[in-house]
Amino acid sequence: MIQLAIDLAFVLEKAILIGGIISVSLLVAMYSTWAERKVAGFMQDRLGPNRAGPFGLFQPLADGLKLFMKEEIIPNASNKFLFILGPGLAMMTAMMTSAVIPWGKQIEIFGRTVDLQIADINIGILYIFAVLSMGVYGIMIGGWASNNKFSLLAALRGASQMISYELAMGLSIIALLMLTGSLSLKTIVELQSASGGWWNIVYQPLGFLIFIVCAFAECNRTPFDLPEAENELNFGYHQEYSSMKLGFYLFAEYINMFMSSVLMATLYFGGYDIPFVNDASLIESMGMNMVAVLQGLSLFLKAAFFIFVFMWVRWTIPRFRYDQLMHLGWKVMIPLALINMLITAIVVLIKENGWPF
Amino acid sequence: MNITEILFWLLTAVALGGALLVVTSKNPVYSVLALIATFFALSGHYILLNAQFLAVVNLIVYAGAIMVLFLFVIMLMNLNTETEPQKNKWLKLAGTIAGGCFLLVLVAALRDADSKSTMALVGSGDTGLIQNLGKALFNEYVIPFEISSVLFLSAMVGAVVLGKK
């Protein structure tokens, strides 16, 4: 007889946390689609969706229902297993990033102190890069399995674009790591929210600029949405997809957008730190749980702003040509990131050892 | 059984099953995907040994970068089961014998190694953490580390030269 020794309370705690975070992310992604259409409507002087419910708030539900009800077509010449695996992989890698993001400090429930973070691993940022590089597979497998020339071309475009911009993104993060001296996202947030500490955007404005441009490219959003350039490649890598499998690909893009917005807020804008307020004294006056709610709200507001920036850019800037995209990635972004890294390294060294001359 | 043991057996099953699929599957794209699954399982083993940095770098470099290039090449060449050339059966036999000999040498070499008596430290030990790894790389092994970077540079220059032809 094998004895199972599992700390049930711990497993339950993490399961509830994971379930909560995933459903919140899905909800945010769902209403991002609504917000995107509203923002697009505003920018183009229209009303946007306003029929389903007040202000069109039930529009995402109607869209979801439509996608579920549509006929599901799997092309005859496609590789059936990989065709189904593709959107699943895209969705899974989009969700996996949320595991290392600190959503708030701590809450107390039933005498247990629960960290509002699924896993505080000391290599948090590297984990995010590993997951990002997995995101390529969803696109590549889906594009190849469709057995369509346009899909394959779009998938290859998407994959090479993501690989190219990952480099500059990694280099811009290295400069940030030199400042904080830690790879754990929790430590990075705590350093920023400590009294007397500034948000990292103050020290790393150029790094943030590089990071946000690369985040646009990683999410395949305009101006870098070449994988789904509909006027050259019909509909891009998901051309053969229909029904909810198409919905998964489109939805994964919105989840990626939310995750990168949260990441930008965490790395450069203080994460769950409430601006202009000393969190430690707030905990004494309001209690731990109330402050955790406020911190979560603060993080969500910051993320919502970045999601708005994503949409703002989408409806104002036209698409790059492919050679321009590669030129920007390899000849502008990477040298800029290297210069940023060099300057940061010199400043950090001088701060530690004093001016040598 | 505690969580660590359950995870160990699960990861071992995935690693061995994935490695077998790499060799046996007829479609090369399936082989690549199985290899990626194997890398994932190995990274899980590294995490059980508390070597988090090694685990993540394994994923970034091998599963994330090198396998994407593999997939690129295979997809562009469009290898199918029909176009794949059938190997000579004597060649297959020779390959099996060579592989078996390699296994024999490995087993013989590892049988008397003193690492057999020391247990693997599960979930403890901090050699695999990034601070200690960085200190070891940049203090004790700084010269081999820098020389290997020259190797990478020469590979990059070689690629550029080949691309310019």
Side-chain angles (χ1 to χ4, degrees):
Chain A
M1 179 78 193
I2 302 165
Q3 289 283 317
L4 283 178
I6 298 173
D7 186 1
L8 258 184
F10 175 77
V11 173
L12 203 67
E13 174 195 313
K14 290 295 176 196
I16 290 173
L17 201 60
I18 292 169
I21 286 171
I22 284 185
S23 30
V24 168
S25 317
L26 288 176
L27 200 74
V28 170
M30 205 165 106
Y31 274 93
S32 301
T33 63
W34 173 80
E36 171 122 72
R37 295 168 71 178
K38 274 289 184 196
V39 169
F42 175 71
M43 302 236 170
Q44 297 165 348
D45 202 12
R46 322 181 257 116
L47 285 174
N50 64 350
R51 294 288 128 177
F55 307 109
L57 269 175
F58 297 146
Q59 189 65 39
L61 296 177
D63 286 344
L65 193 71
K66 185 197 88 174
L67 280 173
F68 272 117
M69 293 301 194
K70 275 180 123 175
E71 188 189 357
E72 195 147 352
I73 299 165
I74 298 181
N76 264 337
S78 69
N79 186 325
K80 304 230 164 27
F81 175 65
L82 294 182
F83 191 77
I84 296 169
L85 188 71
L89 267 182
M91 197 72 174
M92 193 181 79
T93 48
M95 303 294 319
M96 267 165 73
T97 324
S98 62
V100 292
I101 291 171
W103 300 90
K105 209 173 177 69
Q106 278 168 337
I107 52 169
E108 257 183 5
I109 290 182
F110 307 124
R112 282 178 74 94
T113 314
V114 180
D115 279 322
L116 285 179
Q117 184 181 18
I118 296 173
D120 179 24
I121 47 179
N122 66 3
I123 39 152
I125 290 186
L126 287 179
Y127 169 84
I128 285 173
F129 274 95
V131 173
L132 269 184
S133 53
M134 293 300 123
V136 181
Y137 288 115
I139 293 179
M140 277 187 88
I141 288 173
W144 182 79
S146 317
N147 205 357
N148 176 321
K149 280 173 202 151
F150 291 113
S151 301
L152 181 65
L153 275 177
L156 292 179
R157 269 185 175 195
S160 40
Q161 170 185 333
M162 283 169 96
I163 293 172
S164 310
Y165 278 80
E166 232 165 65
L167 282 174
M169 198 182 212
L171 288 174
S172 73
I173 291 278
I174 287 177
L176 184 74
L177 297 182
M178 284 176 186
L179 280 177
T180 55
S182 168
L183 287 158
S184 155
L185 288 175
K186 188 163 203 170
T187 320
I188 291 175
V189 171
E190 274 166 5
L191 278 175
Q192 294 178 80
S193 62
S195 57
W198 294 83
W199 288 353
N200 282 331
I201 179 74
V202 180
Y203 306 113
Q204 284 289 323
L206 183 61
F208 173 69
L209 197 69
I210 296 166
F211 189 89
I212 195 171
V213 172
C214 294
F216 277 98
E218 291 287 322
C219 296
N220 291 328
R221 294 276 303 184
T222 328
F224 305 110
D225 62 341
L226 288 137
E228 45 178 288
E230 62 270 19
N231 43 9
E232 310 161 25
L233 293 167
N234 293 343
F235 199 32
Y237 57 90
H238 43 54
Q239 192 189 3
E240 298 285 348
Y241 282 90
S242 58
S243 181
M244 203 54 204
K245 288 208 276 300
L246 171 69
F248 264 30
Y249 268 128
L250 301 181
F251 212 60
E253 182 185 313
Y254 282 94
I255 296 175
N256 273 330
M257 209 165 88
F258 174 54
M259 289 302 165
S260 25
S261 302
V262 171
L263 205 60
M264 278 187 270
T266 306
L267 290 176
Y268 290 97
F269 284 84
Y272 55 70
D273 177 37
I274 308 168
F276 312 116
V277 174
N278 189 347
D279 288 21
S281 61
L282 204 64
I283 287 176
E284 276 171 26
S285 58
M286 290 176 79
M288 202 182 261
N289 291 356
M290 201 56 213
V291 173
V293 170
L294 282 180
Q295 283 173 335
L297 207 66
S298 151
L299 181 61
F300 273 109
L301 282 179
K302 288 171 191 171
F305 173 73
F306 285 117
I307 291 177
F308 172 70
V309 172
F310 267 94
M311 290 163 186
W312 190 5
V313 169
R314 174 165 181 180
W315 296 107
T316 36
I317 298 180
R319 184 183 297 136
F320 278 90
R321 226 169 45 219
Y322 200 67
D323 59 320
Q324 290 171 334
L325 169 97
M326 282 297 160
H327 181 271
L328 181 73
W330 288 96
K331 294 187 184 162
V332 180
M333 282 296 154
I334 291 181
L336 263 183
L338 281 173
I339 290 170
N340 183 42
M341 201 172 103
L342 201 69
I343 294 172
T344 315
I346 291 170
V347 170
V348 167
L349 266 183
I350 288 176
K351 254 185 105 179
E352 276 184 9
N353 302 331
W355 185 250
F357 305 114
Chain B
M1 289 218 293
N2 53 22
I3 290 186
T4 316
E5 272 178 62
I6 296 171
L7 283 176
F8 174 80
W9 288 113
L10 208 70
L11 288 171
T12 311
V14 173
L16 290 178
L20 276 178
L21 259 180
V22 175
V23 187
T24 53
S25 63
K26 289 255 193 290
N27 190 335
V29 174
Y30 282 145
S31 289
V32 171
L33 293 179
L35 196 55
I36 293 165
T38 314
F39 282 136
F40 261 90
L42 289 183
S43 279
H45 278 302
Y46 289 142
I47 288 174
L48 287 187
L49 294 169
N50 216 16
Q52 302 174 352
F53 181 68
L54 194 59
V56 163
V57 166
N58 183 38
L59 282 189
I60 294 177
V61 174
Y62 284 97
I66 293 181
M67 294 325 282
V68 170
L69 296 182
F70 261 70
L71 214 55
F72 253 100
V73 172
I74 287 173
M75 283 177 180
L76 284 178
M77 295 204 317
N78 205 11
L79 295 172
N80 288 321
T81 35
E82 302 92 54
T83 55
E84 196 183 8
Q86 286 302 309
K87 301 260 182 349
N88 190 341
K89 75 173 174 222
W90 291 107
L91 212 61
K92 280 183 187 167
L93 191 70
T96 316
I97 292 172
C101 289
F102 180 60
L103 181 72
L104 203 71
V105 170
L106 265 187
V107 169
L110 289 177
R111 204 168 60 103
D112 297 325
D114 47 329
S115 63
K116 196 174 57 174
S117 53
T118 47
M119 288 279 286
L121 290 170
V122 174
S124 60
D126 47 8
T127 1
L129 298 186
I130 188 162
Q131 294 95 335
N132 303 312
L133 214 63
K135 276 180 185 144
L137 269 184
F138 286 99
N139 288 323
E140 281 174 61
Y141 302 105
V142 67
I143 292 173
F145 185 73
E146 293 300 329
I147 289 175
S148 67
S149 73
V150 175
L151 185 72
F152 278 119
L153 189 69
S154 61
M156 266 167 72
V157 171
V160 171
V161 168
L162 283 179
K164 286 243 170 182
K165 257 185 187 173

